[in-house]
Amino acid sequence: MIVRYYRADDVPVMRVIWNQVVEDGIAFPQLDCLTEEEAEAFFAEQTCCAVAEQDGKVVGLYILHPNNIGRCGHIGNASYAVERSCRGMGAGEALVSHCLTAAKEKGFRLIQFNAVVKTNAPARHIYEKLGFVTLGTIPGGFRMDDRYEDIVLYYYEL
């Protein structure tokens, strides 16, 4: 498994993987999938993006950008997506680890996650294993199709 910064020719598969997570409706807040036209601009506007590659195939990605603006612009935020059939194979942890290094290189001092769904045990396991600190829980902060789930806030000091 290698993690590298994305290239323009990665965008079509990145879009598919991103949209899988949106369609699953259990981790990302977005309701709408990215179109081909939107995907190119979306990934380009991030501070940085990277992909996880297994045997020459892109199996996951992350986006990194400021969590806020101005006086809070030194705090980063990231999102991670792994292809459905490749989940549980180490891509998530590799992506998060790479992202932490990239965030520091880009000048961020902290990473903050605003809305990790409490039932997203694989993601939470990775964050806690890598040393993220839990800030608290927001009851019912994430709307699933038929119910509301709690969200957990995390931070990591770079």
Side-chain angles (χ1 to χ4, degrees), residues 1-4 50-53 59-62 80-82 90-100 130:
M1 179 90 50
I2 65 163
V3 179
R4 61 170 174 78
V51 296
E53 200 175 73
V59 298
L61 67 105
Y62 74 78
Y80 309 93
V82 176
E93 186 171 341
L95 287 163
V96 176
S97 295
H98 187 278
C99 180
L100 295 176
L130 294 176

Side-chain angles (χ1 to χ4, degrees), residues 33-148:
C33 290
L34 294 171
T35 66
E36 288 179 33
E37 298 77 27
E38 292 167 337
E40 187 175 319
F42 176 75
F43 294 120
E45 72 189 11
Q46 306 302 318
T47 301
C48 72
C49 298
V51 296
E53 200 175 73
Q54 178 82 38
D55 300 324
K57 177 186 173 200
V58 172
V59 298
L61 67 105
Y62 74 78
I63 63 169
L64 172 68
H65 51 87
N67 191 55
N68 211 319
I69 61 170
R71 296 182 193 276
C72 296
H74 61 283
I75 301 172
N77 183 278
S79 296
Y80 309 93
V82 176
E83 208 280 331
R84 283 184 189 122
S85 67
C86 299
R87 293 177 188 161
M89 300 169 60
E93 186 171 341
L95 287 163
V96 176
S97 295
H98 187 278
C99 180
L100 295 176
T101 300
K104 190 168 188 169
E105 289 172 357
K106 298 291 182 185
F108 292 110
R109 297 186 61 201
L110 299 148
I111 296 289
Q112 179 177 322
F113 296 152
N114 306 314
V116 179
V117 181
K118 190 172 185 177
T119 55
N120 189 348
R124 295 187 62 213
H125 173 76
I126 291 168
Y127 304 149
E128 291 168 14
K129 177 181 178 183
L130 294 176
F132 281 77
V133 176
T134 303
L135 289 169
T137 301
I138 299 174
F142 189 89
R143 182 174 50 84
M144 299 279 193
D145 287 336
D146 59 347
R147 68 188 185 286
Y148 290 87

